[in-house]
Amino acid sequence: MLTAASLPETGPMPQPKPDGEQTQSPNELPIPAQKPEKTETAPLPQPKPDSGQTEEPSGTPIPAQKPETSETEPTEGEMQGPPKPPPTVAAESDDEHQACLKELSAMGAVFKDIPRIDDGNGCGIDKPIALTEPLPDIKMKPEGTMRCEAALALAHWMKESVIPAAATALKGKGRITAINQASTYVCRLRNNATTGKISEHARGNAIDIASFTFENGETVGIEPRQEDPTLTGAFQRSASASACLYFTTVLDPNSDAAHETHFHLDVLKRNGEFRYCH
């Protein structure tokens, strides 16, 4: 019988092959190539040219950081630019003012020119007058400060509408001798509010009329008379309706609670000659 062949205690070691080829075990089975060991610390990302965006090491884009400009943020006023200048008193044409004064004088009004008014924030009148009588023997109580245009509208309204209506409806009281005004020029906002638009009173364009005094001494006050069936009610409604022929704004006791005791009349100019009458 043949005896088993003995194997040497050590076999030949495999020789390394050039890089890029797979190594094989002695039994010729392929084994996966080993990846090179990583260093203990990963390399830091190198800065890229500024393109508006940076990346984290993972490759995820992150928004670029804006450069610091100052230690403090700008205030709201600085962000919106310089503050707007306050409104100023509107200038009036010399020619138009003189023409108005001439017409007012021709109607028999008593008035005088007074110095320019400028109370700041748009309150004031460039060429104000102090009106004592809008028509002969009809007193303005107290004397009113306003623009000539407002005084002229008042004189025409009284002569052409109010006096004829009173002569028809209230003829027993005699002629009108006084217009009792509640307000002419005053620097304030509309309806005496704390915020909102400036009143036309603050520009000399408005007159508030509280009542009329008659020759017999009686005074007819402005009050809610929408449903008043008397001739006094008819007179007030006629005066209110006709005022819109001369003024661009007419507010009466039927308008709102703020005007329950007077007429508000003004000559505010609107686009298209629009008028607000209530």
Side-chain angles (χ1 to χ4, degrees):
M1 294 179 63
L2 296 175
T3 60
S6 62
L7 295 173
E9 294 181 3
T10 60
M13 299 294 291
Q15 297 299 314
K17 293 188 177 182
D19 291 339
E21 296 182 5
Q22 281 188 329
T23 58
Q24 291 182 334
S25 64
N27 59 3
E28 298 300 320
L29 293 175
I31 60 173
Q34 298 296 318
K35 294 182 179 180
E37 294 184 0
K38 292 183 179 179
T39 59
E40 292 182 7
T41 59
L44 294 173
Q46 297 300 314
K48 293 185 177 181
D50 187 9
S51 61
Q53 194 178 59
T54 59
E55 289 186 356
E56 293 180 339
S58 63
T60 304
I62 60 173
Q65 300 296 318
K66 294 182 179 179
E68 295 184 1
T69 55
S70 64
E71 293 182 0
T72 59
E73 291 292 328
T75 64
E76 184 176 352
E78 290 172 339
M79 294 175 68
Q80 295 178 350
K84 293 181 180 179
T88 57
V89 176
E92 297 185 58
S93 162
D94 287 335
D95 291 343
E96 291 179 3
H97 180 66
Q98 290 302 319
C100 179
L101 294 181
K102 184 178 180 179
E103 185 176 353
L104 192 60
S105 295
M107 296 186 73
V110 177
F111 61 91
K112 61 183 176 182
D113 284 309
I114 57 177
R116 183 177 187 272
I117 301 171
D118 188 347
D119 290 328
N121 295 318
C123 291
I125 310 174
D126 187 33
K127 294 176 172 59
I129 65 169
L131 182 67
T132 304
E133 296 184 9
L135 292 172
D137 301 321
I138 297 180
K139 303 292 184 182
M140 189 79 170
K141 294 187 176 181
E143 179 183 78
T145 300
M146 64 194 76
R147 292 179 58 235
C148 180
E149 185 180 355
L152 187 59
L154 177 64
H156 277 292
W157 174 59
M158 289 295 300
K159 181 178 181 178
E160 297 161 14
S161 294
V162 178
I163 291 174
T168 300
L170 306 173
K171 57 185 176 181
K173 300 181 186 301
R175 64 181 182 85
I176 294 175
T177 58
I179 302 168
N180 303 301
Q181 58 97 353
S183 178
T184 52
Y185 171 78
V186 60
C187 183
R188 65 172 174 83
L189 301 181
R190 293 181 182 179
N191 298 326
N192 290 305
T194 55
T195 59
K197 295 182 177 180
I198 192 171
S199 170
E200 290 306 302
H201 286 281
R203 297 185 173 108
N205 286 332
I207 306 160
D208 287 349
I209 296 177
S211 62
F212 299 99
T213 299
F214 288 78
E215 194 174 13
N216 69 349
E218 290 186 37
T219 295
V220 174
I222 306 304
E223 59 187 63
R225 297 185 188 273
Q226 191 65 19
E227 305 300 329
D228 185 346
T230 69
L231 284 172
T232 301
F235 163 71
Q236 180 176 304
R237 292 191 297 273
S238 174
S240 176
S242 64
C244 204
L245 301 175
Y246 307 91
F247 297 91
T248 58
T249 306
V250 178
L251 301 172
D252 66 13
N254 195 45
S255 301
D256 54 36
H259 298 90
E260 284 189 342
T261 59
H262 63 276
F263 290 148
H264 168 90
L265 313 171
D266 73 49
V267 291
L268 168 66
K269 287 200 169 21
R270 299 183 177 92
N271 292 334
E273 297 185 358
F274 171 74
R275 298 185 177 216
Y276 183 85
C277 303
H278 196 290

